[in-house]
Amino acid sequence: TEMLGALQAALEDQSGAAAGVRQVIFMTDGAVGNEDELFAYIKVHLGESRLFTVGIGSAPNSYFMTKAAEFGRGTFTYIGTPEEVAVKVGSLFAKLERPALTDVEVAWSDPGTEIYPQRIPDLYMGEPIVAVARLHTAFPDEVTLAGSTTGMPWKMNVKSLPAADRSGLDKLWARRKIDELGNQLALGGDVTKIRPAIVELGLEHHLGRSSPAW
């Protein structure tokens, strides 16, 4: 299966895209190679599209399918047997028909805030968005959320809720940052700088080997 050719056909010409969200579904039951080349291609040519991957059976490379969807601002759907295709693809289509909020952003009072994922995915009906942020100042009483709904700008100020137990949040943040650094490696980043940063984060937050980036 020629994966690159399929991506080129879907992503290179977006001139006729409608005003709504352009959603591309990448479905395969075959093995996927040349991962780094495909990741780099998606990064450069995604444009305003969203890429959703669907893998059927055991042949597709789940690491590639998951990361391709991440780079494509979409999600990965795994289908174990052909009998599951109708149900799972039907559920995916039902979700894609109703994007609640796109181009989501969070405005923080602290300009040094590190948030992961750095590019927040779209919000769909019934699916929460989880983003983890590290601030160098006290957590603000409220944050500003912004995005687009049905093509119109949307903004809301949300009051913060007190958290009685924050244990483990530092590890979750560190794992998300390690994932981001791993993405940079997959896109051809400088190994001599990125790998030491990953190791330092792992040691600082007492994390085990959890990512191919290690």
Side-chain angles (χ1 to χ4, degrees), residues 63 67 116 170-171 173-187 189-214:
Y63 169 73
K67 284 297 180 183
Y116 298 101
D170 64 318
K171 289 182 171 56
W173 176 86
R175 289 188 185 279
R176 292 292 182 87
K177 183 168 184 176
I178 287 172
D179 286 343
E180 174 62 28
L181 291 171
N183 292 343
Q184 293 178 24
L185 278 180
L187 294 170
D190 188 340
V191 176
T192 62
K193 294 180 179 179
I194 296 174
R195 284 196 182 278
I198 291 174
V199 172
E200 182 179 348
L201 273 170
L203 293 174
E204 179 183 353
H205 295 275
H206 308 289
L207 302 177
R209 182 185 177 98
S210 59
S211 166
W214 289 61

Side-chain angles (χ1 to χ4, degrees), residues 81-203:
T81 64
E83 289 75 22
E84 297 176 341
V85 171
V87 173
K88 291 198 173 182
V89 172
S91 297
L92 175 61
F93 285 170
K95 179 181 80 170
L96 299 189
E97 289 172 356
R98 298 193 299 169
L101 194 65
T102 61
D103 302 316
V104 181
E105 295 182 353
V106 183
W108 300 95
S109 56
D110 177 6
T113 299
E114 289 187 76
I115 184 170
Y116 298 101
Q118 292 181 325
R119 197 170 191 183
I120 299 175
D122 298 332
L123 176 67
Y124 287 89
M125 294 290 185
E127 291 193 2
I129 291 176
V130 178
V132 188
R134 180 182 184 180
L135 288 76
H136 300 285
T137 61
F139 201 87
D141 293 332
E142 67 177 25
V143 295
T144 301
L145 304 179
S148 177
T149 177
T150 61
M152 299 297 293
W154 176 91
K155 183 179 289 187
M156 175 181 287
N157 293 330
V158 180
K159 291 189 178 298
S160 305
L161 296 177
D165 182 11
R166 293 185 173 88
S167 61
L169 286 180
D170 64 318
K171 289 182 171 56
L172 179 58
W173 176 86
R175 289 188 185 279
R176 292 292 182 87
K177 183 168 184 176
I178 287 172
D179 286 343
E180 174 62 28
L181 291 171
N183 292 343
Q184 293 178 24
L185 278 180
L187 294 170
D190 188 340
V191 176
T192 62
K193 294 180 179 179
I194 296 174
R195 284 196 182 278
I198 291 174
V199 172
E200 182 179 348
L201 273 170
L203 293 174

